Amino acid sequence: SPDGKTLYTAARNTGVQRSPWDRLVAIDVASGRATSIISLPGDLVPVQGLFGLGLAVSPSGRELAVAIQRQQDRKARLFRVGVDGTGYQELHEPYWTGGAAEKVAWTRDGIYFSDGLMSGDPQPMIKGWRVMRIAPEGGAAQPIFEINGRDLEATFDASPDGSRIAFHPSPSATQWFSPSAGPRRELWVFNLAA
């Protein structure tokens, strides 16, 4: 949360082996107490546990933008919901992604998310990535930038004013090892303001 007092994440029943991540919770940082926000609809069980879930808190701290990569078809859904569990709203049709974790951000000018650019092959494959922006109320998503290259899937975050995006490409695309310097990873920053 903007005030640093609450963490938001997905939860599951800990006493049941392999139980699905089936709800969003708010965790009070001071006490460690978890409070359920909303049960996830049955078709929105994230793939690969928390790797398939991305969360961003609104600038006001009153809502969450949530991206979940579904187990059924590996496509992600983007929705928003109040931190009190009210106002659930789907924002975008299902989209391709390599995983939703760390791939959603909420700034004053909108909600950002990444989706995969698909090849036209009979068996579609992701051929690149783009970061999209959508209004918090939903509507048409606008592409912000695209990067060709399947291995450039990345995590990203946007500055609070939406003027820059920090983009961390996957290690397989940019990591290299130097005997003298050791491993190297890259962080790219894109200025979006005109």
Side-chain angles (χ1 to χ4, degrees), residues 4-75:
K5 295 180 179 179
T6 309
L7 297 174
Y8 300 99
T9 189
R12 63 181 175 180
N13 295 328
T14 57
V16 180
Q17 188 175 11
R18 300 182 146 284
S19 65
W21 300 89
D22 61 356
R23 63 193 176 277
L24 298 179
V25 296
I27 301 171
D28 179 76
V29 173
S31 69
R33 192 173 130 250
T35 304
S36 184
I37 296 172
I38 188 172
S39 294
L40 297 174
D43 68 334
L44 288 183
V45 174
V47 67
Q48 298 177 3
L50 294 181
F51 179 72
L53 175 77
L55 291 169
V57 181
S58 68
S60 70
R62 293 191 297 261
E63 294 181 281
L64 301 172
V66 183
I68 295 179
Q69 185 183 20
R70 302 180 331 160
Q71 285 183 347
Q72 297 90 323
D73 57 10
R74 319 267 307 167
K75 288 186 178 181

Side-chain angles (χ1 to χ4, degrees), residues 6 36 40 52 84 89 98 113 148 155 160 165:
T6 309
S36 184
L40 297 174
D84 62 357
Q89 177 188 356
F113 63 98
N148 289 321
T155 60
I165 289 183

Side-chain angles (χ1 to χ4, degrees), residues 153-165:
E153 176 190 13
T155 60
F156 75 92
D157 202 357
S159 62
D161 64 359
S163 67
R164 290 176 296 185
I165 289 183

Side-chain angles (χ1 to χ4, degrees), residues 102-105 107 112 131 145 147 154-160 162-169 186-192:
E102 298 179 28
K103 294 181 185 151
V104 63
T107 70
Y112 293 78
V131 172
F145 65 84
I147 296 180
T155 60
F156 75 92
D157 202 357
S159 62
S163 67
R164 290 176 296 185
I165 289 183
F167 189 79
H168 179 260
E186 295 181 2
L187 178 67
W188 303 347
V189 177
F190 295 88
N191 291 318
L192 303 178

